Amino acid sequence: MLPVHVFTEAERNSLRTALGSVRADPYADRPAFAAGVAGLVERGEVPPVLLGVAERVRAERAAGVHAHALRNCPLDPDIPLLDQDDPLTDKYARKKTFIGEAFLELFGQLTATPLLSYATRFNGDFYVDVIAITRYRGKQTGYSDGELAFHNDRAAHPVRADHITLLGMRCPDSEVTYTGFVSGDALRAYVGEHLETLRQEHFVTPFDVVSRDNNRALTVSEKHAIFSGERTVRYVDTHTTVAPDAPPEAKDALIALKDALVRADKSRHRILTGDLFTFANQDGLHSREHLEITDPELAATRWLLKTYAFRDEAAAAAHADRWVDGVVGRVGD
């Protein structure tokens, strides 16, 4: 995928200087951190090029373009090599600047997509590390060292992000990993007569291993449709299946969806260090594909910083009853 913008060195340095002036700690006091980033906008300290890029992304999202990439984005001057037994604790101890977090916060604010976090995950942080955690290696989770089938993040959960944004903090040049994306629209075009069945609540999705580790009561989702609204899709390939009491046509529809996933047009982006890749989580599916891994241990050090976001203020307000502490975007399980 071609980036919608590649920041020049001067643009990147200007952004990094502005973002570096935000002194609050995003992990200790996220409201103060978000307010500090908002202050950059209010004081006119955000370079006009980023304002234009954000406006383009907003307009193209409204027109049905679901994935965008930016290149040569500002990062922290020191990117630590995290301890993969407990990368979160190691990050808290060793990461002393927050340029990456500020850039993700600013991007969310400029695109008018309020961030959310999950109170039971990673201490409720809004800026989450996507990195191979030792205990999850070989498992179907974003925190493994392996490939991921096409999926929505947190598909089993009642509250799911509308957008996901990834920032490449450490992406080894020699190891080739792609993030794939397929839109819900593209899938619908190939399911034919099975579309109406896929719109019915005949399907279930198991909770992911990280969710189950945080809450042993979580096993499988409520019954849900795979397609809803104009383009929303809710599905994890190889995991979502028919409910026990589903009619026979549900199984045929699920097979048709699997066939559609093979045939539908897809896009892929290789996230490099300093790349931002943002895409629709509910209006499409994404994957992780290893194209060439020459050093598995090095590849496992790949570190992306991730944010979840609602599509707009109205979507955030719809989940106001799930907010835990009055901070916009924090939800429960």
Side-chain angles (χ1 to χ4, degrees), residues 113-116 159 162 309-323 327-331:
T113 52
L115 301 190
L116 72 143
V159 180
D162 295 302
F310 293 114
R311 68 179 70 242
D312 52 31
E313 294 289 349
H319 296 288
D321 62 329
R322 297 182 181 276
W323 296 351
V327 177
V328 173
R330 179 161 291 174
V331 301

Side-chain angles (χ1 to χ4, degrees), residues 122-136:
F122 305 114
N123 299 324
D125 289 344
F126 285 77
Y127 319 94
V128 177
D129 308 306
V130 180
I131 189 170
I133 300 175
T134 302
R135 66 183 178 277
Y136 294 126

Side-chain angles (χ1 to χ4, degrees), residues 174-202:
S174 61
E175 311 308 304
V176 183
T177 298
Y178 276 86
T179 302
F181 181 82
V182 58
S183 71
D185 292 336
L187 291 172
R188 289 174 196 233
Y190 285 100
V191 297
E193 62 184 14
H194 299 284
L195 179 58
E196 286 309 310
T197 302
L198 292 166
R199 284 183 171 277
Q200 305 303 312
E201 294 182 347
H202 294 321

